[in-house]
Structures are given as structure tokens and as C-alpha cells.
Amino acid sequence: MKEACIVGFGMIDALGDNPIDCWENMLNDRDFHKPIDPHVQEGHGLKVKYGFYPEVDIDENFTNRTVHYGMYAVEQAIHMSGLPHSSNVGVIFSTLTGGNTSKARARAIGKPLKPKQGLKVTIDYLCSNISIKYGYTGINTCVYSACATGLVSIDYAMRMLDEYDYVIVGGSDAGVNDLDLGFFSVMRAIGTKSIPFDKNRDGFIMGEGAGCIILQSRKKAEEMGSKVYACITGIANASDALDPTSPSGTGARACLEKLDLEGVDSVNSHGTSTPLGDISEYNVVREFTNAPIYSNKGKIGHTFAAAGVLETIYSVLSIQNGVIPHTAGCQDTDMDVVMENIETDVKKVLVNSFGFGGKCCSIIVEKEK
């Protein structure tokens, strides 16, 4: 397993549009969920009232929220990295919901479209735009792997680091719309409040945002004099191979068996606030480590394709700031999870993403030595 150097990152979610604000708001006691616009509820019978989404003003007649979030996170990550421009760059940037793209796709069926209008409703429109804007001639593609999409995108990017000067990898999603909320409501996956690991949890709350990280091989980072913020030193994929929606723990266990967990000092869990998912993940993790477990989703909701990338960034921020963040929303639990911020020297974080269809992926993020 090769290591990957994280040499830049960018983010936007319900907590802010930059790492400083996002991190500060991850640690405080404020609740950042917001009401969903009434028109999203109308005619769909949705009982969902809240979501987590950034405070941005977007004219969706010209661009959808997913593209806006993703391009913003990329620009921020490039600026942080200070890397010289190169055309020899790969782009792995994924999305699942697409914001108003979902609605546009539904309306477009059976109707004539201009070529460029048609392209705007595809899930790979965002990664194409990134390559076009910055002149990156390497691969540009996206990954589709349910809730594990963000981490699987990182895995895919790591496999091609030797081919490129650097790889742009990320995820962006905007699921607070009537189609996506309606779909997950029918599946009974949506809850009333994001309270990971709490006894009263009843499902996830939809979030929106994007995360981008720039990866380099150690060799390229040294050649180009890059500042390394943290390293990804392990990654593993597996599958439950059992049920589309109910986790068995088989895939999660297989992932953790493949990783070197010695010295792990915290676990940034998938922790979506679902009744079955949280306890399944908790029990499997406790088979391998007693390290503190927490979830970011009590603050930002479930951001789907962005989730694994954003949570990787929050893990980097945890390492940089020496704080294990609390599990926001969790007040009554019989599981041993982080209830208050812990100031400590964070060196090695396990990050989990487990999705529908039994898709599982876990990575190790370590402090740069």
C-alpha cells in the first residue's frame, strides 16, 4: 500500500466555506440545521423539515448547487496547495444526488435537449468542468459507490499517483431537494434529527456541501517542494454481500482486518444516525480498537458523495489542531462515544464510510512525521 500525501484541501458545508470556520463550528455547541424551503415539501407529502446546507446564493438557472460547491472546494484546495500549474493532473470528483440536476434529469426524459443542456444533467458534468477550467489533461471521471463514494474516490485516486504530478479528488452533493428527499423518505432512511449513536436516533438528516483534497506521491511532493498536511497510509474496501439496506458488519470487519490499526487514537465514524447502521459500526470497531469514536454528521448531516472527503478533511484538522471533536446531537447513549471535545495529540485517525448495498471503505489518516 503506497502512502498518499495530502498537499491541499478545500471545503464547504453547513458549517462554513473554509477550513477555519468549519473547524471552529464543528467544536462549538451551536446547531446548524436549517428549515427546508416549503416548495420542496409541497405535493410530495414529505415529513422532512430540516437539512444541513451552506448559506450561498446560487442562480440554479445557470448552474446547480453540486457544481457550485465542487468548483468552490477545488479552487480553495488549489490555492492552499500553492502548486504550480500542470496539465499532467488527474481529476476524480464524484457526486450522487446532483442538486437540481436530479430534477432536471427527470424533466428531460422524452424531451428534446440541446447537446450542452443534456450534459448538464449527467453526474460526471462536475469532473469535466474541473478539467476544462484548469486545463488538466489527465483522467477526469467520477465514482458511484453509495455512501462510501467519497472514500472510494480517494482509493481510486491513490492508485494513479505515479502517473500524474498530482490528483484532484473530491465529492460534492446537494440532496436537499424534493426528488432525493422523497426517495430516501420512501426508503425510511430519513430521520427527524441528526443524533448519531443516540438512543433516540431514527435516521439520517440530509446535508449538502463539497470537499476536495489534492494528493501527491511522496516522490512528487518532495520533487515539487509541497507542504504535506497529513498522509493517507492505508485504505481498504469490502462488501457485506447480504442486503441492500441493512448492514451486517461483514464488510466493515473485512475492511478493518486489512488495515494497520496499531496506534489509532480516534475513529471518525460513518455514524449517520440510523438505528441499525450506528450500532453495527460501533460493535465492529470495538472488536479492533478502544480508541475514541465520534461522528461529524451531527453537525453537517449526511453529505453523500462529499461525506468521506469532508470527514477526511475534518480528520486532518483534528490532527493539526490536537482536538478530537464531540459527537454533536448525541445526548443519551449506551455506546462509548465522544460527548465532549478532547484536547490531545492526534496522530492517527481511522475514517469509515459504509453505504447502501453493503459498500464499505475505511482509510487511515496520519500526521506528517
Side-chain angles (χ1 to χ4, degrees):
M1 172 67 206
K2 296 179 180 179
E3 70 171 349
C5 298
I6 298 175
V7 298
F9 52 89
M11 63 198 308
I12 179 171
D13 59 27
L15 304 187
D17 61 3
N18 62 84
I20 294 175
D21 288 346
C22 288
W23 180 247
E24 178 181 331
N25 289 325
M26 180 60 70
L27 299 182
N28 65 30
D29 293 326
R30 291 175 57 195
D31 189 341
F32 285 82
H33 77 264
K34 304 177 181 71
I36 295 173
D37 289 342
H39 79 270
V40 174
Q41 308 276 349
E42 294 170 3
H44 299 277
L46 299 179
K47 297 180 180 180
V48 184
K49 297 181 180 180
Y50 303 103
F52 292 87
Y53 48 88
E55 293 285 359
V56 293
D57 185 17
I58 302 171
D59 186 345
E60 295 198 46
N61 291 316
F62 295 95
T63 186
N64 65 63
R65 300 194 304 280
T66 298
V67 173
H68 178 90
Y69 298 152
M71 298 301 289
Y72 182 90
V74 170
E75 184 172 354
Q76 192 181 140
I78 292 171
H79 178 75
M80 176 187 283
S81 73
L83 286 166
H85 180 267
S86 169
S87 61
N88 185 35
V89 173
V91 176
I92 315 296
F93 220 98
S94 305
T95 184
L96 298 179
T97 64
N100 70 336
T101 301
S102 298
K103 186 181 293 185
R105 188 184 302 116
R107 290 175 175 173
I109 295 174
K111 296 181 180 180
L113 286 173
K114 295 178 180 178
K116 289 187 178 181
Q117 288 178 319
L119 289 175
K120 287 183 178 180
V121 302
T122 61
I123 61 172
D124 61 347
Y125 182 68
L126 172 54
C127 59
S128 298
N129 267 272
I130 295 168
S131 290
I132 291 168
K133 178 176 179 178
Y134 294 101
Y136 298 145
T137 59
I139 186 173
N140 89 74
T141 192
C142 58
V143 172
Y144 199 103
S145 193
C147 312
T149 292
L151 292 191
V152 175
S153 297
I154 293 173
D155 180 25
Y156 192 22
M158 289 177 67
R159 295 171 186 267
M160 53 186 66
L161 291 181
D162 290 339
E163 296 182 41
Y164 301 113
D165 290 331
Y166 48 94
V167 177
I168 306 289
V169 58
S172 180
D173 257 323
V176 183
N177 62 74
D178 48 5
L179 284 178
D180 290 307
L181 287 172
F183 172 76
F184 287 108
S185 293
V186 169
M187 293 181 66
R188 298 181 180 179
I190 298 284
T192 55
K193 194 171 183 181
S194 188
I195 49 174
F197 302 110
D198 193 280
K199 288 181 180 179
N200 298 307
R201 66 191 185 276
D202 58 359
F204 70 80
I205 296 296
M206 189 72 81
E208 294 193 352
C212 173
I213 62 178
I214 300 179
L215 298 179
Q216 283 187 300
S217 66
R218 175 64 66 177
K219 179 181 178 182
K220 284 292 184 181
E222 290 176 350
E223 288 177 356
M224 301 178 73
S226 304
K227 179 177 180 179
V228 179
Y229 293 93
C231 296
I232 299 173
T233 58
I235 194 158
N237 291 276
S239 177
D240 280 348
L242 178 67
D243 186 88
T245 58
S246 298
S248 68
T250 299
R253 187 175 295 107
C255 282
L256 301 194
E257 286 173 346
K258 297 175 184 178
L259 296 173
D260 175 12
L261 300 179
E262 184 177 355
V264 164
D265 44 34
S266 60
V267 180
N268 192 339
S269 69
H270 188 55
T272 59
S273 188
T274 58
L276 294 178
D278 285 9
I279 187 62
S280 175
E281 178 180 9
Y282 179 84
N283 287 338
V284 170
V285 169
R286 281 290 175 252
E287 293 177 18
F288 293 86
T289 178
N290 290 318
I293 298 173
Y294 64 94
S295 171
N296 294 145
K297 291 186 176 70
K299 280 279 191 175
I300 62 174
H302 194 345
T303 54
F304 281 73
V309 184
L310 281 170
E311 288 155 18
T312 296
I313 294 171
Y314 279 115
S315 299
V316 174
L317 292 170
S318 173
I319 289 170
Q320 289 184 324
N321 291 279
V323 181
I324 299 173
H326 67 296
T327 305
C330 183
Q331 297 180 343
D332 183 13
T333 183
D334 52 9
M335 290 177 267
D336 181 21
V337 297
V338 180
M339 304 290 281
E340 296 183 359
N341 300 327
I342 302 172
E343 294 188 11
T344 186
D345 186 13
V346 184
K347 296 180 179 178
K348 188 174 182 178
V349 184
L350 168 66
V351 185
N352 292 328
S353 285
F354 305 135
F356 291 123
K359 300 174 181 67
C360 300
C361 189
S362 298
I363 72 171
I364 300 292
V365 181
E366 290 198 58
K367 191 173 188 176
E368 171 70 345
K369 298 175 182 178

